[in-house]
Amino acid sequence: MVPIIKKSDEKALSELMESIPSSGRTKELGVLQSELRRAKIVADNKISEKVIQLGSSFEIIDIASGRRLQFTLTFPKNANLAEQKLSILSPLGVALIGFQEGKVIEWNLPAGTRKFKIEKVSQSESILSL
């Protein structure tokens, strides 16, 4: 499966990655760069509201445990798990951006390979700045 990324998110993510000094570069940053290279980039008005984008709220199910998780995908400076705000530079954030409701994603996370089903996606907030 190829992630679908809207043009404004691609631009914002590219700017975010360029702003991180080499001393702050993580594995997830490299994976996000790879995902952006293989992604299908579409005009902002051509992306489905059912695709996880920056600012999307979504519910996923961990297939192995059946556990439901709800998050809003955001920039690192706004991330706060207590508020269910997930950083785009987290392993799960990188795994989910660009995929749509109903899809099952398998991804290598720090705790091992996991499968998640994207149950619901909604566009809840606009994120314009790093």
Side-chain angles (χ1 to χ4, degrees):
M1 287 188 298
V2 174
I4 301 168
I5 308 287
K6 66 182 179 182
K7 186 70 179 162
S8 63
D9 279 1
E10 183 224 8
K11 182 178 187 283
L13 292 171
S14 294
E15 289 172 3
L16 171 66
M17 290 184 293
E18 289 172 14
S19 74
I20 297 173
S22 58
S23 62
R25 298 196 176 259
T26 63
K27 174 185 173 191
E28 285 71 33
L29 186 67
V31 175
L32 180 58
Q33 288 173 321
S34 295
E35 287 294 286
L36 286 176
R37 278 194 294 271
R38 73 183 196 93
K40 178 180 180 182
I41 308 300
V42 299
D44 286 20
N45 64 350
K46 298 291 185 189
I47 195 161
S48 167
E49 292 200 356
K50 299 301 181 185
V51 173
I52 296 175
Q53 308 164 45
L54 287 171
S56 296
S57 292
F58 56 91
E59 181 177 318
I60 57 174
I61 297 176
D62 181 329
I63 292 178
S65 70
R67 185 173 171 206
R68 289 182 179 270
L69 304 164
Q70 293 181 325
F71 296 106
T72 298
L73 191 62
T74 190
F75 284 107
K77 73 174 186 177
N78 299 322
N80 183 332
L81 290 181
E83 296 176 2
Q84 298 176 308
K85 293 183 177 181
L86 183 70
S87 171
I88 181 57
L89 293 182
S90 68
L92 191 55
V94 171
L96 294 171
I97 192 166
F99 293 102
Q100 67 184 10
E101 192 174 289
K103 296 291 184 185
V104 174
I105 305 299
E106 185 172 354
W107 201 259
N108 291 320
L109 298 173
T113 300
R114 306 296 286 268
K115 280 187 183 181
F116 297 95
K117 181 176 183 191
I118 303 170
E119 281 289 299
K120 184 178 179 184
V121 177
S122 61
Q123 305 310 317
S124 62
E125 61 184 73
S126 175
I127 297 182
L128 300 175
S129 65
L130 307 176

